[in-house]
Amino acid sequence: MSEEKLMSKKKPAYPVNPKLDAYLDKYSRKIEIPIFYEDLLRFSGSVVVEDAEGNDTLWVRVFYAEFDREEIDLSLKKVYSILHSDGGDRILEYLNIDAVDYCTFGNSKPFRIKVRNILNDNYTYFYVKKTDASRVYGLELEHILSPYNLNFLVYKDTLIEEHIAGIPGDVFIKDFLPDLSNREKAQLAKEFVKFNERCMIRLLGDMRSYNYVIVPVHDFDHVVYKIRAIDFDQQCFEGKLKVYRPQFFKENFQMVELVRNRLQKNSVDQYKIEERSIVAKRILSSEGRIMQLEDIAKLDNISLPENIERLKGEIYDLTLDMDFKKSTTMGEVLALALDFVKRNYQDVSMKQIIEKKF
C-alpha cells in the first residue's frame, strides 16, 4: 500500500479543551513560561542545517535581530530551568543558547533549542511546538504506558518537549544495522516486535523510521537496543489500523525483514504477549490517572467522523468486541482498546490462578 493511501494528507491541529487543561494543571504539566511559539517565528534570517555528509536535514538555523536576541535567549534559558530544574534563575548565568533551529518538514514545524553549559560544554536540546491535543494525549500516554518517562510542559498555545536521545531510525537502518552481529540483529528484531505491538495498543500512528530513535544500551558484555517514539502528532487520528502498526510503512521494510529472518513465529507471538502484559500492568498500576485521561478523551474532538467509523470497524474485525461498534468518538475507541488489553491480561491471570489452585 502506498504512503499516500496509508496516511491522510494533513492532520488538523486540535485545541486543548478546558478539561484536558485542568488535567495538565493537576499533574504539573501546565506551567507558565516566559516565551511562546509565536515569539520564535520573529526570526530575521536563516541558513540550511546540513549533516556531516553535506545533506539537507530539512532544518534551518534561524537568526534574530539584535534587540530581540537577548530577550529570546534569556527566555529560553528560563524555559530550560523550568523544564529541567526548579525554575530558579541561579543557573542561568551558566547557560548559553548555542542555536535555534526550525524544522520546515511535517505538521508540527518545531523549534529545536540547543542549550550548553558553559562550565563544562555539556549540551542538550529541547523543542518548542504549537500545542495540539493529539500531541498532548500522545505524550501523556507515552509517559504512562511505555517503559520511558517523558518531561513536557504546556502553556496556552505553546508546548515544550524534552529531547529524546538516540540514533534516528532511518540513520540507524542505513549506517549501523548492516554491521550488527547476528545476536544483536535478533535482539533488535525482538524490540521492533514489541514496539510495533505497543504502538498499536495505544493507537500511536505514523511510526516511520524517522519518527523513532534507536538507543544502544551497554549491558555487561553486550549492547541492547531499545526503540523509542519521538513524534506524537498522530495519536488517535487516522482511521486505518495499519497506520498504528509500524510494520506497514515502507521505511521500516528492513526492520520487518529482520523480524522475518531472525525470529520464528512462536517467538514473535511470545514477544507480543509479553508486551501486551507489560502494558496491561502499567494500565493497572496507573489506573486512576489513565481513567481520568480516558474520560477527557471520550468527550474530545480529536479525529474526523469517517476515521472513527473506519477504525472502530477494523478493530472490531480484529477483536470481535461489540463495544467497539458502539463507540462514537476516538477517545472511546482508545479507552476500549486499553480496556480490552487489560481485561485479557486479567482473564489470563485469573485462569492461571484457578488452574494452580485446582
Side-chain angles (χ1 to χ4, degrees), residues 73-82 87-97 116 118:
D73 277 11
L74 178 60
S75 296
L76 291 173
K77 290 177 189 178
K78 288 180 178 178
V79 169
Y80 173 89
S81 179
I82 295 168
D89 292 346
R90 62 184 179 277
I91 69 169
L92 301 187
E93 62 180 306
Y94 306 120
L95 302 177
N96 189 71
I97 305 300
R116 178 171 55 90
I118 61 176

Side-chain angles (χ1 to χ4, degrees), residues 210-299:
Y210 48 77
N211 285 334
Y212 60 80
V213 293
I214 296 177
V215 186
V217 179
H218 291 266
D219 183 22
F220 294 106
D221 59 345
H222 66 287
V223 177
V224 176
Y225 294 94
K226 302 292 184 181
I227 302 178
R228 293 193 63 177
I230 59 171
D231 192 316
F232 304 94
D233 293 350
Q234 290 285 346
Q235 175 68 51
C236 299
F237 173 73
E238 293 284 350
K240 304 178 186 72
L241 186 57
K242 285 185 176 181
V243 173
Y244 302 105
R245 303 176 73 181
Q247 72 186 77
F248 287 106
F249 288 99
K250 68 179 189 295
E251 291 85 353
N252 295 326
F253 174 77
Q254 288 176 268
M255 298 294 279
V256 175
E257 284 295 292
L258 202 64
V259 174
R260 184 176 291 119
N261 294 331
R262 298 292 167 181
L263 301 179
Q264 297 180 359
K265 184 180 184 304
N266 288 344
S267 294
V268 171
D269 292 341
Q270 173 198 337
Y271 296 143
K272 287 181 178 179
I273 292 169
E274 286 181 8
E275 191 61 29
R276 287 177 211 150
S277 300
I278 291 170
V279 171
K281 289 174 184 177
R282 293 192 187 108
I283 293 170
L284 289 167
S285 66
S286 303
E287 196 162 22
R289 186 165 177 170
I290 281 284
M291 287 180 67
Q292 289 176 57
L293 194 65
E294 288 175 349
D295 288 343
I296 296 165
K298 287 176 185 177
L299 301 175

Side-chain angles (χ1 to χ4, degrees), residues 53-103:
E53 298 174 353
N55 300 313
D56 187 352
T57 62
L58 302 179
W59 290 82
V60 296
R61 185 145 299 163
V62 300
F63 305 100
Y64 298 90
E66 189 174 344
F67 58 89
D68 281 334
R69 183 72 202 217
E70 187 174 337
E71 179 186 353
I72 287 172
D73 277 11
L74 178 60
S75 296
L76 291 173
K77 290 177 189 178
K78 288 180 178 178
V79 169
Y80 173 89
S81 179
I82 295 168
L83 185 66
H84 289 291
S85 187
D86 60 2
D89 292 346
R90 62 184 179 277
I91 69 169
L92 301 187
E93 62 180 306
Y94 306 120
L95 302 177
N96 189 71
I97 305 300
D98 277 10
V100 178
D101 297 333
Y102 178 62
C103 184

Side-chain angles (χ1 to χ4, degrees), residues 48-59 170-171 174-175:
V48 172
V49 177
E50 297 179 340
D51 63 18
E53 298 174 353
N55 300 313
D56 187 352
T57 62
L58 302 179
W59 290 82
D170 55 340
V171 174
K174 176 178 174 287
D175 296 339

Side-chain angles (χ1 to χ4, degrees), residues 36-37 40 76 110-111 113 126-130 158-160:
F36 294 101
Y37 178 88
L40 295 179
L76 291 173
F111 285 93
I113 316 301
F126 66 86
Y127 297 86
V128 182
K129 302 180 178 181
K130 283 190 73 69
T158 298
L159 171 66
I160 308 294

Side-chain angles (χ1 to χ4, degrees), residues 129-145:
K129 302 180 178 181
K130 283 190 73 69
T131 302
D132 173 31
S134 301
R135 200 170 297 130
V136 171
Y137 285 119
L139 287 163
E140 189 67 5
L141 287 168
E142 180 75 3
H143 177 76
I144 299 171
L145 298 181

